[in-house]
Amino acid sequence: QVQLAESGPGLIKSSQTLSLTCSVSGGSISDGDYYWSWIRQPPGKGLEWIGYIYHTGISYYNPSLKGRVTMSVDTSRNQFSLTLSSVTATDTAVYYCARVYSAYHNWFDPWGQGTPVTVSS
Amino acid sequence: DIQMTQSPSSLSASVGDRVAITCRASQDISNYLAWYQQRPGKPPKLLIYGASTLQTGVSSRFSGSGSGTEFTLIITSLLPEDVATYYCQKYNRAPFTFGPGTKIDVK
């Protein structure tokens, strides 16, 4: 069965660009109609959807992130990535990657274990 | 954007109790609603999609109902392993918004 695993820097300074990668195992990132998503959760708070990407590179981002987000996919490595620019303390969160069932059925399953990111000043 | 609310924000119940959580959308989302369980320190786990379809492998003690703007997650016969925060999520169109969560603990 498909498993996802996030990786990232853990700690990043304010105003820098955050880069995270999600590695997919147990299946191909190009399989079927699946999309691939990033979701984050600030400490002690709820979940915020960041965006999703298809294996062809088609992507859609949450407008709340005001153009700071870029996603990419590397089918040869079975990975997809998130870049978030101009980070501030409000970007401190656990970042999860997840599979999206399809373009019209946008529920998330499975999820990775999450990678914590702290933005320091 | 469509806003999602949940009630209650937290509850405490006894083992064996029937528990109900309500999720409301600020606009009609038909049945484009999912429910997740997030145990402490763990990622969310999909329980239900399409408002009422149980994800494969999820206990039949969980059930979902509703359509339009009001939805309910029911846990029959609460177990200690059900201690978690439960989130609803709408997915009729992007952005895909989650509710604020309902934290359940066991008395």
Short mmCIF file of all heavy atoms in Angstrom, two decimals, chain A residues 39 41 45-49 52 60 62-63 96 104-109 111-113, chain B residues 32 34 36 38 41-46 49-50 55 87 89 91 94-96 98 100:
data_model
loop_
_atom_site.label_atom_id
_atom_site.label_comp_id
_atom_site.label_asym_id
_atom_site.label_seq_id
_atom_site.Cartn_x
_atom_site.Cartn_y
_atom_site.Cartn_z
N ILE A 39 -0.58 19.81 3.32
CA ILE A 39 -1.48 20.34 4.36
C ILE A 39 -0.60 20.65 5.56
O ILE A 39 0.35 19.92 5.83
CB ILE A 39 -2.54 19.27 4.72
CG1 ILE A 39 -3.40 18.95 3.50
CG2 ILE A 39 -3.41 19.75 5.89
CD1 ILE A 39 -3.92 17.55 3.47
N GLN A 41 -0.30 22.15 9.84
CA GLN A 41 -0.99 22.27 11.11
C GLN A 41 -0.10 23.01 12.09
O GLN A 41 0.86 22.44 12.63
CB GLN A 41 -1.36 20.89 11.66
CG GLN A 41 -2.18 20.92 12.93
CD GLN A 41 -2.68 19.54 13.30
OE1 GLN A 41 -2.01 18.53 13.10
NE2 GLN A 41 -3.90 19.48 13.82
N LYS A 45 -3.14 23.82 16.72
CA LYS A 45 -4.24 24.38 15.91
C LYS A 45 -4.76 23.38 14.89
O LYS A 45 -4.37 22.20 14.90
CB LYS A 45 -3.74 25.65 15.21
CG LYS A 45 -3.39 26.77 16.20
CD LYS A 45 -3.12 28.07 15.49
CE LYS A 45 -2.84 29.18 16.50
NZ LYS A 45 -2.59 30.48 15.84
N GLY A 46 -5.63 23.86 14.02
CA GLY A 46 -6.27 23.00 13.05
C GLY A 46 -5.47 22.86 11.76
O GLY A 46 -4.32 23.28 11.65
N LEU A 47 -6.13 22.28 10.77
CA LEU A 47 -5.49 21.90 9.51
C LEU A 47 -5.77 22.94 8.42
O LEU A 47 -6.90 23.43 8.28
CB LEU A 47 -6.03 20.54 9.07
CG LEU A 47 -5.76 19.40 10.06
CD1 LEU A 47 -6.72 18.24 9.84
CD2 LEU A 47 -4.31 18.93 9.93
N GLU A 48 -4.73 23.24 7.64
CA GLU A 48 -4.86 24.17 6.53
C GLU A 48 -4.34 23.51 5.26
O GLU A 48 -3.18 23.10 5.19
CB GLU A 48 -4.09 25.47 6.79
CG GLU A 48 -4.17 26.46 5.63
CD GLU A 48 -3.36 27.71 5.84
OE1 GLU A 48 -2.34 27.66 6.56
OE2 GLU A 48 -3.71 28.76 5.27
N TRP A 49 -5.21 23.44 4.24
CA TRP A 49 -4.80 22.89 2.96
C TRP A 49 -3.93 23.92 2.23
O TRP A 49 -4.29 25.09 2.13
CB TRP A 49 -6.03 22.54 2.13
CG TRP A 49 -5.73 22.08 0.75
CD1 TRP A 49 -5.19 20.88 0.38
CD2 TRP A 49 -5.95 22.79 -0.46
NE1 TRP A 49 -5.06 20.82 -0.99
CE2 TRP A 49 -5.52 21.98 -1.53
CE3 TRP A 49 -6.47 24.06 -0.75
CZ2 TRP A 49 -5.61 22.38 -2.86
CZ3 TRP A 49 -6.56 24.46 -2.07
CH2 TRP A 49 -6.13 23.62 -3.11
N TYR A 52 -2.36 21.36 -4.22
CA TYR A 52 -2.13 20.02 -4.76
C TYR A 52 -1.50 20.08 -6.13
O TYR A 52 -1.46 21.13 -6.79
CB TYR A 52 -3.41 19.19 -4.76
CG TYR A 52 -4.54 19.62 -5.67
CD1 TYR A 52 -4.35 20.17 -6.93
CD2 TYR A 52 -5.86 19.42 -5.26
CE1 TYR A 52 -5.41 20.52 -7.74
CE2 TYR A 52 -6.92 19.77 -6.07
CZ TYR A 52 -6.70 20.31 -7.31
OH TYR A 52 -7.75 20.67 -8.10
N TYR A 60 -2.72 23.53 -8.10
CA TYR A 60 -3.63 24.56 -7.60
C TYR A 60 -3.26 24.83 -6.15
O TYR A 60 -3.08 23.90 -5.38
CB TYR A 60 -5.10 24.11 -7.70
CG TYR A 60 -6.06 25.22 -7.37
CD1 TYR A 60 -6.53 26.08 -8.35
CD2 TYR A 60 -6.49 25.41 -6.05
CE1 TYR A 60 -7.40 27.11 -8.03
CE2 TYR A 60 -7.35 26.44 -5.73
CZ TYR A 60 -7.81 27.28 -6.72
OH TYR A 60 -8.65 28.30 -6.41
N ASN A 62 -3.80 27.20 -2.42
CA ASN A 62 -4.72 27.95 -1.61
C ASN A 62 -4.44 29.45 -1.75
O ASN A 62 -3.34 29.90 -1.46
CB ASN A 62 -4.58 27.52 -0.14
CG ASN A 62 -5.71 28.03 0.73
OD1 ASN A 62 -6.28 29.09 0.47
ND2 ASN A 62 -6.02 27.29 1.76
N PRO A 63 -5.42 30.22 -2.19
CA PRO A 63 -5.19 31.67 -2.38
C PRO A 63 -4.75 32.39 -1.10
O PRO A 63 -4.14 33.46 -1.18
CB PRO A 63 -6.57 32.18 -2.84
CG PRO A 63 -7.24 30.99 -3.41
CD PRO A 63 -6.77 29.83 -2.61
N TYR A 96 2.28 18.19 6.40
CA TYR A 96 1.94 16.84 5.97
C TYR A 96 1.81 16.81 4.44
O TYR A 96 1.29 17.76 3.84
CB TYR A 96 0.59 16.42 6.54
CG TYR A 96 0.51 16.28 8.04
CD1 TYR A 96 -0.05 17.29 8.81
CD2 TYR A 96 0.98 15.13 8.68
CE1 TYR A 96 -0.15 17.16 10.19
CE2 TYR A 96 0.88 15.00 10.05
CZ TYR A 96 0.31 16.01 10.80
OH TYR A 96 0.21 15.88 12.18
N TYR A 104 -12.05 15.30 -8.56
CA TYR A 104 -13.43 15.61 -8.17
C TYR A 104 -13.81 15.03 -6.82
O TYR A 104 -14.92 15.24 -6.33
CB TYR A 104 -14.41 15.11 -9.24
CG TYR A 104 -14.16 15.77 -10.56
CD1 TYR A 104 -13.50 15.08 -11.58
CD2 TYR A 104 -14.56 17.08 -10.80
CE1 TYR A 104 -13.25 15.69 -12.79
CE2 TYR A 104 -14.31 17.69 -12.00
CZ TYR A 104 -13.65 17.00 -13.00
OH TYR A 104 -13.39 17.60 -14.21
N HIS A 105 -12.90 14.31 -6.23
CA HIS A 105 -13.13 13.70 -4.91
C HIS A 105 -11.91 13.98 -4.06
O HIS A 105 -11.03 13.15 -3.89
CB HIS A 105 -13.38 12.20 -5.06
CG HIS A 105 -14.56 11.87 -5.91
ND1 HIS A 105 -14.46 11.64 -7.26
CD2 HIS A 105 -15.88 11.78 -5.61
CE1 HIS A 105 -15.67 11.41 -7.75
NE2 HIS A 105 -16.54 11.49 -6.78
N ASN A 106 -11.89 15.20 -3.55
CA ASN A 106 -10.66 15.71 -2.95
C ASN A 106 -10.57 15.43 -1.46
O ASN A 106 -10.48 16.36 -0.65
CB ASN A 106 -10.57 17.21 -3.22
CG ASN A 106 -10.34 17.50 -4.69
OD1 ASN A 106 -9.23 17.40 -5.17
ND2 ASN A 106 -11.40 17.84 -5.40
N TRP A 107 -10.66 14.16 -1.12
CA TRP A 107 -10.34 13.78 0.25
C TRP A 107 -8.91 13.26 0.29
O TRP A 107 -8.35 12.87 -0.73
CB TRP A 107 -11.34 12.77 0.81
CG TRP A 107 -11.46 11.48 0.08
CD1 TRP A 107 -10.63 10.40 0.14
CD2 TRP A 107 -12.51 11.12 -0.83
NE1 TRP A 107 -11.09 9.40 -0.68
CE2 TRP A 107 -12.24 9.80 -1.27
CE3 TRP A 107 -13.66 11.77 -1.29
CZ2 TRP A 107 -13.06 9.13 -2.16
CZ3 TRP A 107 -14.48 11.11 -2.18
CH2 TRP A 107 -14.18 9.81 -2.60
N PHE A 108 -8.35 13.24 1.51
CA PHE A 108 -6.92 12.97 1.66
C PHE A 108 -6.68 11.63 2.36
O PHE A 108 -7.06 11.43 3.50
CB PHE A 108 -6.27 14.09 2.47
CG PHE A 108 -6.54 15.46 1.91
CD1 PHE A 108 -7.42 16.33 2.55
CD2 PHE A 108 -5.94 15.89 0.74
CE1 PHE A 108 -7.70 17.58 2.04
CE2 PHE A 108 -6.20 17.15 0.21
CZ PHE A 108 -7.09 17.99 0.86
N ASP A 109 -6.02 10.74 1.64
CA ASP A 109 -5.72 9.42 2.20
C ASP A 109 -4.78 8.67 1.28
O ASP A 109 -5.08 8.55 0.09
CB ASP A 109 -7.02 8.61 2.36
CG ASP A 109 -6.76 7.22 2.93
OD1 ASP A 109 -6.40 7.13 4.12
OD2 ASP A 109 -6.90 6.25 2.18
N TRP A 111 -1.91 9.80 4.58
CA TRP A 111 -1.09 10.95 4.96
C TRP A 111 0.30 10.46 5.36
O TRP A 111 0.46 9.34 5.84
CB TRP A 111 -1.70 11.67 6.17
CG TRP A 111 -3.05 12.26 5.98
CD1 TRP A 111 -4.20 11.64 5.56
CD2 TRP A 111 -3.42 13.63 6.23
NE1 TRP A 111 -5.25 12.51 5.55
CE2 TRP A 111 -4.81 13.74 5.96
CE3 TRP A 111 -2.73 14.77 6.67
CZ2 TRP A 111 -5.51 14.95 6.09
CZ3 TRP A 111 -3.42 15.96 6.82
CH2 TRP A 111 -4.79 16.04 6.52
N GLY A 112 1.28 11.34 5.18
CA GLY A 112 2.58 11.07 5.76
C GLY A 112 2.55 11.36 7.26
O GLY A 112 1.55 11.85 7.78
N GLN A 113 3.64 11.05 7.93
CA GLN A 113 3.73 11.26 9.38
C GLN A 113 3.91 12.73 9.74
O GLN A 113 3.68 13.10 10.89
CB GLN A 113 4.89 10.45 9.96
CG GLN A 113 4.63 8.95 9.99
CD GLN A 113 3.42 8.60 10.85
OE1 GLN A 113 3.32 9.01 12.01
NE2 GLN A 113 2.47 7.87 10.28
N TYR B 32 -20.23 16.62 -0.34
CA TYR B 32 -18.77 16.67 -0.51
C TYR B 32 -18.09 16.93 0.84
O TYR B 32 -17.48 17.98 1.06
CB TYR B 32 -18.39 17.73 -1.53
CG TYR B 32 -18.78 17.38 -2.94
CD1 TYR B 32 -20.04 17.72 -3.45
CD2 TYR B 32 -17.90 16.72 -3.78
CE1 TYR B 32 -20.40 17.38 -4.75
CE2 TYR B 32 -18.24 16.39 -5.08
CZ TYR B 32 -19.50 16.73 -5.56
OH TYR B 32 -19.84 16.40 -6.85
N ALA B 34 -15.81 15.08 4.16
CA ALA B 34 -15.04 13.98 4.73
C ALA B 34 -14.83 14.23 6.22
O ALA B 34 -14.86 15.37 6.68
CB ALA B 34 -13.69 13.86 4.02
N TYR B 36 -12.17 13.08 9.50
CA TYR B 36 -10.87 12.55 9.86
C TYR B 36 -10.76 12.42 11.38
O TYR B 36 -11.32 13.22 12.12
CB TYR B 36 -9.73 13.47 9.38
CG TYR B 36 -9.71 13.66 7.88
CD1 TYR B 36 -10.50 14.64 7.29
CD2 TYR B 36 -8.92 12.87 7.06
CE1 TYR B 36 -10.49 14.82 5.92
CE2 TYR B 36 -8.90 13.04 5.68
CZ TYR B 36 -9.71 14.02 5.13
OH TYR B 36 -9.69 14.20 3.76
N GLN B 38 -7.74 12.40 14.30
CA GLN B 38 -6.32 12.65 14.55
C GLN B 38 -6.01 12.34 16.01
O GLN B 38 -6.39 13.10 16.91
CB GLN B 38 -5.92 14.08 14.22
CG GLN B 38 -4.41 14.31 14.36
CD GLN B 38 -3.96 15.69 13.96
OE1 GLN B 38 -4.70 16.67 14.11
NE2 GLN B 38 -2.75 15.80 13.43
N GLY B 41 -0.34 13.34 18.45
CA GLY B 41 0.98 13.08 17.89
C GLY B 41 0.98 12.32 16.58
O GLY B 41 2.06 11.93 16.10
N LYS B 42 -0.18 12.09 16.01
CA LYS B 42 -0.29 11.31 14.77
C LYS B 42 -0.89 12.16 13.65
O LYS B 42 -1.52 13.18 13.91
CB LYS B 42 -1.17 10.08 15.00
CG LYS B 42 -0.62 9.11 16.03
CD LYS B 42 0.67 8.48 15.56
CE LYS B 42 1.14 7.41 16.52
NZ LYS B 42 2.46 6.84 16.07
N PRO B 43 -0.70 11.72 12.40
CA PRO B 43 -1.37 12.43 11.30
C PRO B 43 -2.85 12.09 11.28
O PRO B 43 -3.27 11.08 11.86
CB PRO B 43 -0.66 11.87 10.06
CG PRO B 43 -0.20 10.52 10.46
CD PRO B 43 0.16 10.62 11.91
N PRO B 44 -3.65 12.92 10.64
CA PRO B 44 -5.07 12.59 10.48
C PRO B 44 -5.26 11.30 9.71
O PRO B 44 -4.44 10.93 8.86
CB PRO B 44 -5.62 13.79 9.71
CG PRO B 44 -4.69 14.92 10.04
CD PRO B 44 -3.34 14.25 10.13
N LYS B 45 -6.38 10.64 10.01
CA LYS B 45 -6.75 9.39 9.34
C LYS B 45 -8.16 9.57 8.78
O LYS B 45 -9.07 10.00 9.49
CB LYS B 45 -6.73 8.24 10.34
CG LYS B 45 -7.28 6.93 9.84
CD LYS B 45 -7.41 5.93 10.99
CE LYS B 45 -8.14 4.66 10.57
NZ LYS B 45 -8.34 3.73 11.69
N LEU B 46 -8.34 9.23 7.50
CA LEU B 46 -9.65 9.34 6.87
C LEU B 46 -10.60 8.32 7.44
O LEU B 46 -10.31 7.13 7.49
CB LEU B 46 -9.51 9.14 5.36
CG LEU B 46 -10.81 9.14 4.56
CD1 LEU B 46 -11.42 10.55 4.54
CD2 LEU B 46 -10.57 8.65 3.12
N TYR B 49 -15.97 9.54 3.76
CA TYR B 49 -16.03 10.48 2.63
C TYR B 49 -17.42 10.42 2.04
O TYR B 49 -18.21 9.51 2.35
CB TYR B 49 -14.95 10.17 1.59
CG TYR B 49 -15.03 8.78 1.00
CD1 TYR B 49 -15.81 8.51 -0.12
CD2 TYR B 49 -14.31 7.73 1.57
CE1 TYR B 49 -15.87 7.24 -0.65
CE2 TYR B 49 -14.37 6.46 1.05
CZ TYR B 49 -15.15 6.21 -0.05
OH TYR B 49 -15.23 4.95 -0.58
N GLY B 50 -17.73 11.39 1.21
CA GLY B 50 -19.07 11.44 0.64
C GLY B 50 -20.14 11.56 1.72
O GLY B 50 -21.27 11.11 1.54
N GLN B 55 -14.65 4.66 5.05
CA GLN B 55 -13.41 4.26 4.39
C GLN B 55 -13.10 2.80 4.74
O GLN B 55 -13.35 2.33 5.87
CB GLN B 55 -12.27 5.18 4.83
CG GLN B 55 -10.87 4.75 4.39
CD GLN B 55 -10.64 4.84 2.90
OE1 GLN B 55 -11.57 4.85 2.11
NE2 GLN B 55 -9.37 4.91 2.49
N TYR B 87 -11.99 16.04 12.68
CA TYR B 87 -12.13 17.16 11.77
C TYR B 87 -13.05 16.80 10.61
O TYR B 87 -12.95 15.69 10.06
CB TYR B 87 -10.77 17.56 11.17
CG TYR B 87 -9.76 18.08 12.16
CD1 TYR B 87 -8.83 17.25 12.75
CD2 TYR B 87 -9.74 19.44 12.48
CE1 TYR B 87 -7.89 17.75 13.65
CE2 TYR B 87 -8.79 19.94 13.38
CZ TYR B 87 -7.88 19.08 13.96
OH TYR B 87 -6.96 19.58 14.85
N GLN B 89 -14.07 18.09 6.65
CA GLN B 89 -13.40 18.79 5.54
C GLN B 89 -14.35 18.83 4.36
O GLN B 89 -14.91 17.81 3.96
CB GLN B 89 -12.13 18.06 5.13
CG GLN B 89 -11.42 18.64 3.90
CD GLN B 89 -11.11 17.61 2.84
OE1 GLN B 89 -10.99 16.41 3.12
NE2 GLN B 89 -11.00 18.04 1.60
N TYR B 91 -15.02 19.40 0.31
CA TYR B 91 -14.19 19.27 -0.89
C TYR B 91 -14.99 19.47 -2.18
O TYR B 91 -14.61 18.98 -3.25
CB TYR B 91 -13.45 17.93 -0.92
CG TYR B 91 -14.31 16.68 -0.85
CD1 TYR B 91 -14.83 16.10 -2.01
CD2 TYR B 91 -14.57 16.06 0.37
CE1 TYR B 91 -15.60 14.95 -1.96
CE2 TYR B 91 -15.34 14.91 0.43
CZ TYR B 91 -15.85 14.35 -0.73
OH TYR B 91 -16.60 13.19 -0.67
N ALA B 94 -12.09 23.89 -4.47
CA ALA B 94 -10.97 24.48 -3.75
C ALA B 94 -11.32 25.91 -3.37
O ALA B 94 -12.08 26.59 -4.07
CB ALA B 94 -9.72 24.45 -4.63
N PRO B 95 -10.77 26.41 -2.25
CA PRO B 95 -9.86 25.74 -1.32
C PRO B 95 -10.59 24.74 -0.43
O PRO B 95 -11.74 24.96 -0.06
CB PRO B 95 -9.27 26.89 -0.51
CG PRO B 95 -10.32 27.95 -0.54
CD PRO B 95 -10.98 27.83 -1.88
N PHE B 96 -9.92 23.66 -0.12
CA PHE B 96 -10.52 22.56 0.65
C PHE B 96 -10.32 22.85 2.13
O PHE B 96 -9.23 22.71 2.66
CB PHE B 96 -9.89 21.24 0.23
CG PHE B 96 -9.94 21.03 -1.27
CD1 PHE B 96 -8.77 20.91 -2.00
CD2 PHE B 96 -11.14 21.02 -1.95
CE1 PHE B 96 -8.81 20.75 -3.37
CE2 PHE B 96 -11.19 20.88 -3.32
CZ PHE B 96 -10.03 20.75 -4.04
N PHE B 98 -10.98 22.74 6.27
CA PHE B 98 -11.29 21.86 7.39
C PHE B 98 -12.07 22.63 8.45
O PHE B 98 -11.93 23.84 8.61
CB PHE B 98 -10.00 21.34 8.03
CG PHE B 98 -9.20 20.43 7.14
CD1 PHE B 98 -8.31 20.96 6.21
CD2 PHE B 98 -9.32 19.06 7.24
CE1 PHE B 98 -7.56 20.11 5.39
CE2 PHE B 98 -8.57 18.21 6.43
CZ PHE B 98 -7.70 18.74 5.51
N PRO B 100 -12.74 23.37 12.55
CA PRO B 100 -11.78 23.65 13.61
C PRO B 100 -11.48 22.46 14.51
O PRO B 100 -10.54 22.52 15.31
CB PRO B 100 -12.44 24.78 14.40
CG PRO B 100 -13.90 24.59 14.15
CD PRO B 100 -14.02 24.05 12.75
#
